[in-house]
Amino acid sequence: MTKKYAEEIEQAYTVITVMEEAQRCLLCHDAPCSESCPAGTDPGKFIRSVRFRNFKGAAETIRENNALGGICARVCPTERYCQKACSRCGIDRPIDIGGIQRFVTDFEARANMHILRKGEAIGKKIAVVGSGPSGLQAAASLLQMGYEVDIYDKNAKAGGYLRYGIPQYRLPNEVVDKEIEHIAELGAQFKLGVTVGKDVTMDELKAKYDAVLLAIGFSAPKVLPMFEGSEIVETAVSFLARVKESKGEVELPQNIVVIGGGDVAMDVVTTLKVLGVKNVTDVVYEEFHEFLASKKELRGAQELGVTIIDGYIPAEFADHTVTFKHRHIDSVLKIKTDKVILAVGQKAEAENLGVELVKNEVTFDGYKTPDAKVFVTGDIAHGDKTVVYAVRKGKEAAAAIHESLGGNK
Amino acid sequence: MINKDLSVEFLGVHFENPFCLSSSPVGNCYDMCKKAYDTGWGGVVFKTIGPKHFLIDEVSPRFDALTKEGTPFVGFKNMEQIAEHPLEENLADVKRLKEEYPNKVLIASIMGTNEEDWTELARLVEEAGADMIEMNLSCPQMTSHAMGSDVGSNPDLCRKYCAAVKRGSKLPMIAKMTPNIMDMVPVAKACLEGGADGISCINTIKSVVNVDLDRKIGLPIINGKSSISGYSGKAVKPVALRFIQQLRMGEGLHDLAISGIGGIETWEDAAEFILLGATTLQVTTAIMQYGYRVVEDMKNGLMHYMEEQGVDRLQDLVGLANANIIPAEELDRDYIVYPEINYDVCINCGRCYVSCYDGAHQAMEWDKENRKVRCNKEKCVGCHLCALVCPVKAISKGEVVLKPGRPGNPADKKV
Ligand SMILES: Cc1cc2nc3c(=O)[nH]c(=O)nc-3n(C[C@H](O)[C@H](O)[C@H](O)COP(=O)(O)OP(=O)(O)OC[C@H]3O[C@@H](n4cnc5c(N)ncnc54)[C@H](O)[C@@H]3O)c2cc1C
Ligand SMILES: Cc1cc2nc3c(=O)[nH]c(=O)nc-3n(C[C@H](O)[C@H](O)[C@H](O)COP(=O)(O)O)c2cc1C
Ligand code: SF4
């Protein structure tokens, strides 16, 4: 069971098959895929390099534009970004851009390439709070500009939801390790197990650094009041983190109810099935036509035999039994269960960090807070809540810091 | 991004990188050459300039392509002659390009009908500012037998015209060879005797690429007819490499300065030409198909190759493979290397079985029930057709065995 969890679901291209896929690319002028990548990874260019058998050049294009290129290759919702724009859609189906990107970044690792270069030291120091994708990309960009960067995280290991959220079969921790290693090689110092606002104050950071970048993500799970304090209830992100840390070696009962219908819920139910849990019942607030999870994830879960019930809200929880009511019709559903996993969203925790959040977001566009020394990025900044957007925001926040600190002057 | 010095010295001219447009429509006017320089090409061989009295009158359409499965241009056929633009316009473009791009190389390709033409054209292009002259002795579809590959296959004419060019200009000069010939060495030697400083090789190969099956006419069709004409692109690379190797093996020619042409599309193609003795490289078909941007991956890929090889000067790679291509009678025929099948990689398609049975020596055995192949060494001759057709590269070189009674140690064989 755990073997299935530990292995990547998507099969990787070989040199032969990647050439076949690259050959399908039309090599568009002003490639629309490149214009649609939020992080500017430039697929039009790296696919062209693959087509002309320059795998190393392809790796340079990816890595220099996106310090988390190997991660994005695996977790990007490409159907919403680059592949949606692909001209080949007008003929049959888009180029498998994510797959080609994965081939190239795997090639980069096999060839032991070290592409990113530390900038010439400019004698300024930045604290990044949070080591999720946005903090990591911002650090990589700043290091390449010559800043010194310390990255604080309350967790024991770096990576944010890359390490503690997205399941191993979609994003192996080894891939996360490798990309973080590249950033560490540029000189990033990791201060792990340190909660900013508790173990160290914002004032202390502001005194020590030229700027502080908050990349704290949505690190706390939401819990519905009726489930608080119950021993058989666990939140999605704590469950996913526990499974990933133990490489799938967890004890689970055979009858589990999951509440929630987003991509996180799909990761939970799929993980449960992959780990061999017999009865997995997912009860979802939204009805199928308004479903939040991507169609691909939903289909995957259904193919594994997850029971999905749409349109019900939990009304009562007592004695291992959850009672749900339908949102529109007069219907009650009672499920007796061994365990409940709540996938009803995550929220930002910004205590003592001196930023005001409304609905988990800052109240302004961009990255500069009213405090001239403090910047934000990642999920708490405006914009999509995806890894590739976190990368984009990381690059832009780094540029905003650089500009505020006088740029190259 | 890797950055290595790709510059080369070729006949006393400095190229920031060896990649040039070959003489053809890709370098037909000022705007095109400008864009090519801006995209990163090191040099341009301008579209062949002819004498004022030779009127160019082109056909329409004038191209065709050989395709195979999913590959759109295996090879490319063209029926073009030389520059359509008036002589004065071409010379003005050359002048302007050289003024605006003093550090890029501009090579003027010229073609005359007699000695006076060649001398005069050489004088004019030097006056316009060209860095070098290329003599087009090789276009296979000229409408005059006093021009093109008919001249290029006649050593005496080549010698005479090279001398004529040298009378008109002191610029370094390369003579462009036709592959429509058995042995290029006598022609190349005649050109050198006449005063050529180096050789560019190859121009296009005479061809009929496709025939329209309903109309029973070769393609492209021009008012119901077609002609034999020049073939280029990836398919001609092996022919070009062969001629370059033969030139470098010619007596006294092992240091011959060569500009390599024919089917260059990737950095790997480029590296092959260099290893066989080309110092500069020229490209047309890949540009016609994909645009000037192909040079980006050629340059970058070549830099990575230099890095892997631990080479800092591109020139150090020139000709390194020449000595490793020897006459067939000198090859070691004492051993057989057997194929080794990696069953972890094998997908049980049976393609090696089919090819070995129908195209080799019936040595691959097929276990129908388990869809498994096995090589019977009693029958295997070690031809490795199986490895070439395997779609997953599961077959590699395995055990080396000496033929009965042959001397040597199998472990010493560089298989
Ligand atoms: C289960 C799951 C699956 C997902 N799947 C995908 C997917 O397939 N594709 C996709 O594009 N997106 C996916 N996402 C969303 C994506 O993970 C987020 O958008 C992204 O991680 C946000 O990046 P971030 O850098 O803002 O923050 P995070 O990744 O949330 O990282 C924030 C970090 O800050 C640290 N931190 C917080 N507060 C403090 C503090 N006070 N002091 C020190 N450290 C602190 C946290 O410990 C954490 O490590 C998924 C999310 C989850 C939860
Ligand atoms: C359309 C076309 C026109 C060409 N015109 C010329 C020419 O005017 N002068 C010349 O020397 N070679 C000419 N060539 C030959 C090319 O310069 C080159 O030698 C040949 O195409 C092989 O290179 P390639 O495989 O990169 O195309 C022409 C080739 C093509 C395809
Ligand atoms: S849009 Fe699609 S076809 Fe066009 S360059 Fe990008 S991947 Fe290729």
Side-chain angles (χ1 to χ4, degrees), chain B residues 220-355:
Chain B
I221 298 170
I222 296 111
N223 194 17
K225 302 283 186 236
S226 194
S227 280
I228 288 174
S229 74
Y231 191 51
S232 60
K234 196 82 172 190
V236 313
K237 185 188 81 169
V239 178
L241 291 177
R242 160 221 161 182
F243 277 118
I244 292 178
Q245 172 69 13
Q246 284 181 324
L247 285 176
R248 297 272 289 194
M249 290 294 106
E251 209 197 313
L253 298 183
H254 62 277
D255 281 331
L256 180 65
I258 295 178
S259 188
I261 320 169
I264 301 174
E265 197 172 280
T266 68
W267 64 271
E268 288 166 326
D269 301 326
E272 290 170 341
F273 275 83
I274 293 169
L275 291 173
L276 287 180
T279 304
T280 61
L281 307 162
Q282 303 185 22
V283 183
T284 283
T285 304
I287 299 173
M288 292 185 76
Q289 189 178 7
Y290 299 110
Y292 298 122
R293 58 192 177 163
V294 291
V295 78
E296 294 167 11
D297 285 299
M298 291 189 197
K299 282 176 16 186
N300 181 277
L302 200 55
M303 288 180 194
H304 281 293
Y305 176 65
M306 287 168 68
E307 180 85 5
E308 289 160 19
Q309 297 294 313
V311 165
D312 286 323
R313 288 176 61 238
L314 188 58
Q315 216 122 16
D316 292 345
L317 292 171
V318 175
L320 290 188
N322 286 132
N324 296 327
I325 296 181
I326 59 174
E329 62 271 23
E330 291 172 25
L331 290 172
D332 183 346
R333 291 164 191 274
D334 290 339
Y335 67 90
I336 291 179
V337 50
Y338 290 106
E340 186 169 293
I341 304 168
N342 181 341
Y343 291 101
D344 291 337
V345 176
C346 173
I347 52 170
N348 315 314
C349 66
R351 284 289 306 271
C352 56
Y353 165 75
V354 172
S355 286

Side-chain angles (χ1 to χ4, degrees), chain B residues 89-292:
Chain B
E89 197 179 312
N90 290 324
L91 293 171
D93 282 356
V94 168
K95 188 158 185 284
R96 184 164 168 213
L97 284 162
K98 227 20 240 185
E99 278 163 12
E100 290 176 27
Y101 294 90
N103 297 325
K104 299 273 189 179
V105 178
L106 200 147
I107 301 167
S109 169
I110 56 173
M111 185 195 276
T113 56
N114 55 39
E115 288 177 84
E116 292 70 51
D117 283 353
W118 284 105
T119 306
E120 177 62 4
L121 285 167
R123 192 187 66 76
L124 288 173
V125 298
E126 177 168 14
E127 194 179 85
D131 298 297
M132 205 184 256
I133 292 174
E134 181 177 274
M135 288 177 67
N136 180 346
L137 297 165
S138 43
C139 178
Q141 56 258 1
M142 295 307 293
T143 50
S144 154
H145 294 290
M147 296 172 98
S149 61
D150 288 346
V151 175
S153 42
N154 177 335
D156 292 332
L157 273 182
C158 288
R159 189 182 301 104
K160 198 164 82 177
Y161 290 159
C162 287
V165 166
K166 278 292 172 178
R167 285 198 295 276
S169 157
K170 294 284 158 277
L171 289 178
M173 185 271 276
I174 48 181
K176 183 167 179 179
M177 300 287 104
T178 174
N180 301 300
I181 187 172
M182 272 302 291
D183 186 356
M184 200 177 273
V185 173
V187 183
K189 281 192 169 161
C191 290
L192 298 173
E193 285 158 18
D197 303 292
I199 296 294
S200 40
C201 161
I202 55 172
N203 206 314
T204 53
I205 302 176
K206 289 187 183 180
S207 69
V208 174
V209 166
N210 293 296
V211 176
D212 183 306
L213 297 183
D214 291 327
R215 300 172 64 189
K216 293 143 192 104
I217 312 169
L219 294 177
I221 298 170
I222 296 111
N223 194 17
K225 302 283 186 236
S226 194
S227 280
I228 288 174
S229 74
Y231 191 51
S232 60
K234 196 82 172 190
V236 313
K237 185 188 81 169
V239 178
L241 291 177
R242 160 221 161 182
F243 277 118
I244 292 178
Q245 172 69 13
Q246 284 181 324
L247 285 176
R248 297 272 289 194
M249 290 294 106
E251 209 197 313
L253 298 183
H254 62 277
D255 281 331
L256 180 65
I258 295 178
S259 188
I261 320 169
I264 301 174
E265 197 172 280
T266 68
W267 64 271
E268 288 166 326
D269 301 326
E272 290 170 341
F273 275 83
I274 293 169
L275 291 173
L276 287 180
T279 304
T280 61
L281 307 162
Q282 303 185 22
V283 183
T284 283
T285 304
I287 299 173
M288 292 185 76
Q289 189 178 7
Y290 299 110
Y292 298 122

Side-chain angles (χ1 to χ4, degrees), chain A residues 153-170:
Chain A
D153 204 295
K154 62 183 180 187
N155 284 329
K157 287 187 180 162
Y161 280 136
L162 305 175
R163 182 180 303 282
Y164 292 105
I166 305 176
Q168 179 82 6
Y169 57 79
R170 289 208 291 122

